[in-house]
């Protein structure tokens, strides 16, 4: 530990001891021998040890803290944290063989995501500091999770922002890029090499399974369907028909395959196109649904884009409300941390008012528990949603 280089913080810095980020403007002195990505000791202005983390001057979050104890960041460190995180997810194994094992800051390993898809662990590194620890991470996955295959999917936008080369490859034995998983009653194929995120929106599991309970004999519209997470569960819940909309054909092809392996193809219709245009067309043709699922990509990339994003959500939710039967159900989501729950629910009230409708809340939704929400790290809470019964006012 003695050899670790030091960074001294300003007197005003580091007020929150439970948050793992240190901003660049809170740093007073950086040891001149420190290179980007190095492990550093974080020292207060009055010479107290605060923690150990890694440093990257390219980011406004210049240090991410890995530990507040004086412990080496080595194989044992990763074995301990990855094993702990894996054990926490034990309960999920009863309903699925695909879940997030490590959720970055929420599991005390900032910059690291580990997802399990059946016999394959997919890991994604999002910071330069974690990239430098890749060997320890891989060896620890072998020791603790012992999967058949390990695949790296470090190709997020963060590579450029943090200043390292993307990496997409197998480590060790080569498995299959298209892996079969199950989630509750549903079966899915996941493309771990090309799909969004590491292949599947694992965070929506709980809400997708919940849709089954509402779907019986209902005509369902799954907007932004991706590979059919919600659609398949709705069909398995005995929906009479499920129409799916996505802008990308590739996902709809996978959706059709998923429909086949679940024996629900005859209920599923896929439409490729822009959701906004298709919804407007339905309004013209007066097509009506009993349940509408609205799970759009994040419209808010940063704080400054929030106002415009709210307009987009408002428009979309108004269109969906218009297309629902009286007492029809709207399952509506936002996956942006910047879109706080108050803003989201306020937008929904405005949408209902504008459509001369009101609603009762059937269910409040969050990301599933393998994406923990840590109270002292507000950024870990990002996915929110509601199942609403939409009621005509006149
Ligand atoms: N509900 C899905 C995840 C949705 S991800 C699940 O649980 O698996 C969002 C999807 O919206 C992506 O598949 C993306 O291709 C699609 N998309 C993005 N913009 C779109 C648009 N304007 N119209 C239709 N689909 C869009």
């Amino acid at each position: 530990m003695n050899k670790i280089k030091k960074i001294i913080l300003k007197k005003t810095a580091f007020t929150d001891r439970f948050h793992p980020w240190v901003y660049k403007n809170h740093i007073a002195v950086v040891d001149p021998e420190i290179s980007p990505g190095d492990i550093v000791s974080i020292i207060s202005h009055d010479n107290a040890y605060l923690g150990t983390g890694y440093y990257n001057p390219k980011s406004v979050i210049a240090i991410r803290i890995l530990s507040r104890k004086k412990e080496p960041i080595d194989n044992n460190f990763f074995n301990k944290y990855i094993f702990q995180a894996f054990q926490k997810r034990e309960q999920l194994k009863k309903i699925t063989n695909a879940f997030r094992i490590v959720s970055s800051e929420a599991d005390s390993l900032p910059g690291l995501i580990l997802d399990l898809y059946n016999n394959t662990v997919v890991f994604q590194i999002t910071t330069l500091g974690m990239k430098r620890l890749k060997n320890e991470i891989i060896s620890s996955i072998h020791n603790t999770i012992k999967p058949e295959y390990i695949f790296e999917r470090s190709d997020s936008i963060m590579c450029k922002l943090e200043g390292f080369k993307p990496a997409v490859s197998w480590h060790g034995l080569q498995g299959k890029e298209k892996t079969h998983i199950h989630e509750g009653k549903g079966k899915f194929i996941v493309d771990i090499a090309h799909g969004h995120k590491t292949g599947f929106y694992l965070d929506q599991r709980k809400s997708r399974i919940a849709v089954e309970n509402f779907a019986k004999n209902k005509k369902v519209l799954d907007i932004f369907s991706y590979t059919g997470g919600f659609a398949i569960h709705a069909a398995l819940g005995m929906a009479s028909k499920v129409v799916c909309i996505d802008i990308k054909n590739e996902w709809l092809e996978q959706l059709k395959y998923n429909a086949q392996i679940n024996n629900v193809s005859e209920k599923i219709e896929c439409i490729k196109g822009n959701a906004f245009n298709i919804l407007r067309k339905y309004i013209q043709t007066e097509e009506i649904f009993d349940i509408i699922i609205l799970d759009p990509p994040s419209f808010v990339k940063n704080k400054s884009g929030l106002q415009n994003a709210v307009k987009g959500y408002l428009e979309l939710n108004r269109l969906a409300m218009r297309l629902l039967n009286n007492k029809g159900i709207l399952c509506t989501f936002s996956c942006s941390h910047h879109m706080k729950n108050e803003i989201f629910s306020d937008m929904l009230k405005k949408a209902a008012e504008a459509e001369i409708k009101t609603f009762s809340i059937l269910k409040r939704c969050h990301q599933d528990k393998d994406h923990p929400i840590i109270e002292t790290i507000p950024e870990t809470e990002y996915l929110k949603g509601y199942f609403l019964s939409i009621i005509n006012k006149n």
Side-chain angles (χ1 to χ4, degrees):
M1 271 316 267
N2 296 340
K3 277 181 267 148
I4 289 189
K5 298 153 207 163
K6 290 178 186 170
I7 287 186
I8 302 168
L9 304 189
K10 291 181 185 165
K11 195 172 177 181
T12 48
F14 212 70
T15 46
D16 184 353
R17 285 172 178 268
F18 296 98
H19 198 291
W21 295 351
V22 179
Y23 290 98
K24 207 168 169 178
N25 59 1
H26 287 179
I27 292 176
V29 185
V30 177
D31 184 329
E33 284 174 28
I34 292 178
S35 310
D38 278 354
I39 298 282
V40 296
S41 268
I42 306 146
I43 310 293
S44 71
H45 72 282
D46 52 359
N47 207 28
Y49 168 85
L50 298 173
T52 301
Y54 54 74
Y55 174 65
N56 187 355
K58 206 169 183 305
S59 168
V60 282
I61 305 164
I63 308 173
R64 292 181 200 239
I65 298 169
L66 293 163
S67 177
R68 288 169 205 277
K69 293 180 233 158
K70 286 191 176 173
E71 60 183 329
I73 308 300
D74 56 9
N75 282 335
N76 284 339
F77 171 86
F78 281 100
N79 286 346
K80 185 174 80 184
Y81 281 96
I82 292 179
F83 186 65
Q84 260 176 25
F86 194 39
Q87 272 190 320
K88 267 198 221 160
R89 274 76 171 173
E90 194 62 34
Q91 288 279 323
L92 278 170
K93 289 186 190 163
K94 288 185 197 148
I95 51 166
T96 184
N97 60 356
F99 52 87
R100 180 148 295 184
I101 299 168
V102 168
S103 189
S104 206
E105 274 81 356
D107 285 292
S108 308
L109 292 171
L112 179 65
I113 285 166
L114 287 191
D115 288 341
L116 181 71
Y117 292 105
N118 192 1
N119 52 7
T120 303
V121 164
V122 182
F123 75 91
Q124 182 165 75
I125 287 174
T126 58
T127 56
L128 178 68
M130 265 306 174
K131 195 210 144 205
R132 297 264 302 271
L133 296 161
K134 190 165 23 184
N135 290 341
E136 285 83 349
I137 292 166
I138 293 171
S139 131
S140 188
I141 295 172
H142 278 300
N143 289 339
T144 56
I145 305 165
K146 304 182 173 72
E148 277 180 59
Y149 308 105
I150 300 178
F151 187 69
E152 178 171 12
R153 192 63 207 278
S154 302
D155 61 351
S156 79
I157 180 182
M158 289 302 292
C159 301
K160 197 164 176 210
L161 297 175
E162 284 271 321
F164 66 95
K165 263 204 210 142
V168 177
S169 70
W170 294 97
H171 291 277
L173 291 179
Q174 198 163 327
K176 287 193 180 123
E177 287 183 354
K178 292 196 173 164
T179 304
H180 283 86
I181 62 145
H182 66 85
E183 172 184 274
K185 293 181 197 156
K187 296 178 214 143
F188 298 91
I189 194 161
V190 176
D191 187 340
I192 57 172
H194 308 99
H196 286 176
K197 297 189 164 203
T198 59
F200 204 55
Y201 287 84
L202 296 167
D203 49 4
Q204 280 286 32
R205 177 188 314 107
K206 199 166 54 171
S207 303
R208 284 194 291 254
I209 293 176
V211 161
E212 279 180 30
N213 301 325
F214 296 89
K216 196 166 180 189
N217 297 329
K218 299 286 198 282
K219 185 177 163 196
V220 180
L221 179 62
D222 182 7
I223 311 168
F224 305 100
S225 65
Y226 189 49
T227 58
F230 280 96
I232 298 294
H233 281 291
L236 291 170
M238 308 303 281
S240 55
K241 184 176 181 183
V242 188
V243 180
C244 308
I245 301 173
D246 203 281
I247 203 151
K248 224 171 153 190
N249 212 26
E250 195 181 341
W251 309 141
L252 293 175
E253 287 305 316
Q254 266 184 54
L255 196 161
K256 286 178 199 160
Y257 177 84
N258 287 333
Q260 265 174 36
I261 57 175
N262 287 282
N263 294 320
V264 293
S265 295
E266 77 284 358
K267 291 182 180 177
I268 303 249
E269 184 191 334
C270 291
I271 303 175
K272 180 193 170 296
N274 186 320
F276 286 88
N277 299 342
I278 295 169
L279 297 189
R280 287 190 196 107
K281 214 151 70 189
Y282 277 146
I283 285 170
Q284 277 168 12
T285 56
E286 296 183 9
E287 178 116 20
I288 293 287
F289 296 86
D290 302 309
I291 299 181
I292 295 184
I293 295 142
L294 253 191
D295 184 23
S298 174
F299 294 162
V300 205
K301 299 289 176 228
N302 49 46
K303 247 188 192 167
S304 60
L306 185 62
Q307 227 178 349
N308 263 340
V310 174
K311 280 189 202 155
Y313 284 107
L314 183 72
E315 165 78 354
L316 209 49
N317 280 275
R318 281 190 63 175
L319 288 167
M321 286 181 189
R322 221 181 291 176
L323 289 173
L324 275 169
N325 269 323
N326 189 25
K327 300 199 183 137
I329 299 172
L330 176 62
C331 308
T332 181
F333 301 91
S334 163
C335 60
S336 168
H337 158 69
H338 298 291
M339 182 87 164
K340 302 282 178 235
N341 190 42
E342 306 83 74
I343 308 171
F344 188 56
S345 74
D346 188 55
M347 176 279 296
L348 290 171
K349 282 178 208 153
K350 286 194 175 120
E353 256 168 50
E355 293 302 322
I356 321 175
K357 292 182 189 239
T358 180
F359 57 74
S360 63
I361 299 175
L362 303 176
K363 186 176 165 56
R364 287 171 208 267
C365 307
H366 296 284
Q367 62 220 48
D368 209 345
K369 55 174 173 267
D370 48 341
H371 298 63
I373 298 171
I374 308 297
E375 201 241 318
T376 51
I377 315 175
E379 296 81 4
T380 56
E381 182 170 11
Y382 63 97
L383 180 60
K384 62 212 70 75
Y386 292 94
F387 287 15
L388 304 173
S389 170
I390 307 288
I391 303 154
N392 290 346
K393 266 193 180 163
N394 48 23

